[in-house]
Amino acid sequence: SRSIGGVISLDSLAKEDEESIKVYIEVGDNDGVNGSKKSRSQEFNFNVLGKKAKKEEIAKDYDKFFNRSKENQEQLEEIQKALEKLRKELMDKKSLNFKEKSKLKDLLEKQQKLLEKQQQNEELLDKLQKKEEKLDKKSEEIKKREEDIKKIDSEKEKEVEELMEEIEKLMAKLDVQKLAEKLQELKKNNEQTQKASERKDDLIKDLKFQKDLLEQAEKLEDLAKEMEELSKKEDSKEGKEKSEETKKQEEIRKELDELKEKVEKMKEENKAFDKASDDQKTEEKGEEASEEMDKAQESLDKNQQQKANEGQKKAGEKMKEMSESLQSSMMQMQAKANEVNMATLRKILENLEVLSFDVESLSDKSKKVEKEDPMFKKLLVEQMRLKEGAQVIEDSLSALAK
């Protein structure tokens, strides 16, 4: 005899809505003389997570990720205010008193805890994306976009950690002026981290929306195939077989209704999709599919199998057209976003060119003016204006990157 080992995931055996499955073990020999004999164990009942339940779990994980991200950003804003306040207090001082040392130590501890919370949230995102991959195979494009998003603020976190180490060393050396400079640097780095984090969250939301939309389109295609299979049934059915066909069609109808509600909710939540989608066409195809299914059911009730098959086939075709309409809407949404981005980018480049000329002009003027000259103050004001202009361009680029 030989033993056979292995691990089977019971969840993988469950259907979309199943919450439990029955399992039994059957073994047989290969007796060629007396004939094969089989033995079967008793049935075991196991609770499982079906595909639908797993998707609900992933949706909850996404909510948890975005809530944690919001909390982290709020905490970062509090740290920023405290950093600025402390930096101003240190500007004209030559040494740190006990109270200021305590404030700085407390701030660094808060910053460190925040970094740890951000890392934990990144781990949560990684886990839930792996859950998605196990549930449904992702395209290479989706995988690449997920990897690109993960890289957005990873370098900034390293820079923050390095700055914190430098600040701790300066505290020990009691170099107050350099300490104030490093606090300003940390504040600036935190600002960039916050913008990167906001941009990252927006990209994740956008990617999640696109994955959800594609999932609805794929579901419609699957339902269309099921209806096509039903339409190939021959001869009028009686009794149990007819009842099974009716039940199957009712299940498909229920899934179609749920899917239509889901798409409507997605339109309400995403204005860009709502504007890009062809509401009339999508809703029209959905209603036509439902109507054809109703006609097919009436024909089944009257034992008119051929008419029922025609209705089922038409319903399948309408579902397929609805799927194509959803995919087309998503492509239009992406194209529209790209058009807006290109127009904004051209405007930013124009502003950058003007700023470049102004900076060059200011630099030439500054070389010819002494500090005692009244004109020097005007040049400082102009420098501040240009600095603000550069900040506006930087903010515009960050917004565009979203």
Side-chain angles (χ1 to χ4, degrees):
S1 67
R2 62 192 179 100
S3 60
I4 299 172
V7 177
I8 298 172
S9 170
L10 297 179
D11 286 348
S12 66
L13 301 176
K15 293 179 182 177
E16 182 90 12
D17 297 323
E18 277 186 327
E19 294 180 355
S20 65
I21 57 171
K22 288 181 180 179
V23 177
Y24 63 85
I25 300 168
E26 188 176 86
V27 293
D29 61 25
N30 56 354
D31 189 342
V33 179
N34 300 312
S36 176
K37 294 176 285 297
K38 291 182 179 179
S39 180
R40 176 172 161 171
S41 73
Q42 68 181 81
E43 288 186 347
F44 301 93
N45 198 55
F46 292 96
N47 293 327
V48 293
L49 275 178
K51 198 172 182 181
K52 188 176 180 180
K54 286 179 182 178
K55 284 179 179 176
E56 287 172 357
E57 195 177 72
I58 289 170
K60 286 178 183 176
D61 283 343
Y62 266 115
D63 288 340
K64 190 188 291 183
F65 171 81
F66 289 124
N67 287 334
R68 283 184 181 179
S69 185
K70 187 181 177 183
E71 287 171 9
N72 290 345
Q73 287 178 33
E74 287 171 355
Q75 191 175 342
L76 185 58
E77 284 177 14
E78 289 175 9
I79 290 172
Q80 288 291 81
K81 289 174 185 176
L83 274 173
E84 180 59 17
K85 187 179 178 182
L86 184 59
R87 187 189 69 82
K88 286 179 178 177
E89 288 175 5
L90 298 179
M91 281 179 72
D92 300 321
K93 294 198 174 183
K94 292 182 180 179
S95 62
L96 288 174
N97 59 37
F98 177 76
K99 189 178 179 181
E100 287 159 348
K101 282 182 182 178
S102 298
K103 277 184 184 179
L104 186 52
K105 190 178 177 182
D106 183 55
L107 267 174
L108 291 177
E109 284 176 1
K110 284 181 179 177
Q111 184 91 49
Q112 183 58 46
K113 284 179 183 176
L114 180 60
L115 284 174
E116 289 168 7
K117 284 172 73 177
Q118 287 169 336
Q119 184 57 43
Q120 287 168 4
N121 215 26
E122 289 304 307
E123 288 169 6
L124 173 64
L125 179 64
D126 190 53
K127 283 179 183 177
L128 72 87
Q129 287 179 342
K130 282 176 181 175
K131 282 182 186 177
E132 284 181 319
E133 175 65 15
K134 282 183 181 179
L135 208 55
D136 292 303
K137 200 74 177 172
K138 296 177 185 176
S139 67
E140 289 304 314
E141 183 187 351
I142 293 288
K143 285 182 186 177
K144 186 179 182 304
R145 285 187 66 187
E146 285 179 346
E147 287 303 313
D148 289 342
I149 289 170
K150 284 178 187 176
K151 293 173 187 173
I152 287 175
D153 54 4
S154 58
E155 290 302 316
K156 287 290 170 195
E157 287 176 10
K158 291 176 187 175
E159 288 176 22
V160 168
E161 286 175 351
E162 288 169 5
L163 274 170
M164 286 169 65
E165 286 176 13
E166 288 180 44
I167 289 169
E168 285 176 351
K169 287 175 185 176
L170 289 169
M171 274 179 70
K173 290 179 181 178
L174 300 175
D175 193 334
V176 181
Q177 290 311 306
K178 281 188 179 178
L179 192 57
E181 288 173 12
K182 287 297 174 184
L183 289 177
Q184 176 63 18
E185 202 174 324
L186 179 59
K187 183 172 174 285
K188 181 69 176 174
N189 206 300
N190 280 345
E191 284 173 7
Q192 292 171 346
T193 299
Q194 191 165 19
K195 287 175 184 176
S197 180
E198 288 170 359
R199 177 189 167 207
K200 189 172 185 175
D201 286 356
D202 286 341
L203 288 171
I204 292 168
K205 284 175 185 175
D206 183 55
L207 185 58
K208 181 181 179 297
F209 178 83
Q210 290 183 35
K211 286 189 285 191
D212 287 346
L213 191 62
L214 281 173
E215 183 188 337
Q216 303 314 310
E218 286 168 4
K219 271 187 182 179
L220 276 167
E221 287 181 359
D222 291 340
L223 291 177
K225 286 175 186 175
E226 288 181 38
M227 286 305 295
E228 190 178 349
E229 287 300 313
L230 278 181
S231 72
K232 292 176 182 177
K233 299 281 183 183
E234 294 179 0
D235 303 323
S236 181
K237 302 291 187 301
E238 295 292 341
K240 187 179 178 182
E241 285 185 74
K242 181 182 176 182
S243 176
E244 285 176 1
E245 186 175 354
T246 299
K247 185 181 176 183
K248 182 64 179 173
Q249 183 163 299
E250 285 173 353
E251 287 173 359
I252 295 171
R253 174 62 187 268
K254 184 184 175 185
E255 285 186 59
L256 177 63
D257 289 341
E258 287 175 357
L259 194 146
K260 281 155 66 176
E261 284 178 19
K262 172 80 174 173
V263 171
E264 193 58 39
K265 190 177 178 182
M266 289 175 77
K267 285 179 186 175
E268 289 172 6
E269 291 174 353
N270 190 305
K271 303 224 184 258
F273 172 60
D274 189 27
K275 288 177 183 177
S277 63
D278 188 342
D279 280 344
Q280 192 175 352
K281 187 177 179 183
T282 305
E283 288 175 17
E284 208 173 83
K285 298 304 172 189
E287 290 307 314
E288 287 174 1
S290 297
E291 286 171 13
E292 292 297 341
M293 289 182 78
D294 289 340
K295 289 177 185 176
Q297 187 57 55
E298 285 177 19
S299 299
L300 279 175
D301 293 339
K302 295 176 182 177
N303 290 328
Q304 297 173 336
Q305 188 66 44
Q306 189 174 347
K307 281 189 76 176
N309 290 353
E310 288 172 7
Q312 289 164 342
K313 188 178 180 181
K314 285 179 182 177
E317 288 169 356
K318 298 300 177 186
M319 289 178 198
K320 195 172 181 182
E321 287 173 16
M322 188 180 174
S323 172
E324 289 168 356
S325 176
L326 284 180
Q327 292 179 64
S328 173
S329 294
M330 191 178 76
M331 289 169 68
Q332 286 175 41
M333 183 175 68
Q334 291 172 335
K336 186 71 177 173
N338 289 338
E339 283 176 22
V340 172
N341 287 348
M342 284 303 296
T344 306
L345 185 58
R346 287 192 197 98
K347 187 65 180 173
I348 290 171
L349 288 172
E350 288 172 11
N351 293 339
L352 192 58
E353 189 177 4
V354 171
L355 181 69
S356 176
F357 282 126
D358 288 347
V359 169
E360 192 176 343
S361 173
L362 181 66
S363 177
D364 291 340
K365 289 176 185 177
S366 299
K367 290 174 185 176
K368 300 171 186 176
V369 177
E370 297 294 330
K371 285 186 178 180
E372 294 77 16
D373 193 321
M375 187 67 182
F376 187 75
K377 286 186 178 180
K378 290 182 179 179
L379 292 178
L380 284 176
V381 172
E382 178 65 11
Q383 186 181 32
M384 289 299 293
R385 186 187 69 79
L386 293 177
K387 188 178 178 181
E388 288 171 3
Q391 186 62 52
V392 169
I393 289 173
E394 184 185 334
D395 291 344
S396 298
L397 286 169
S398 296
L400 184 63
K402 291 180 182 182

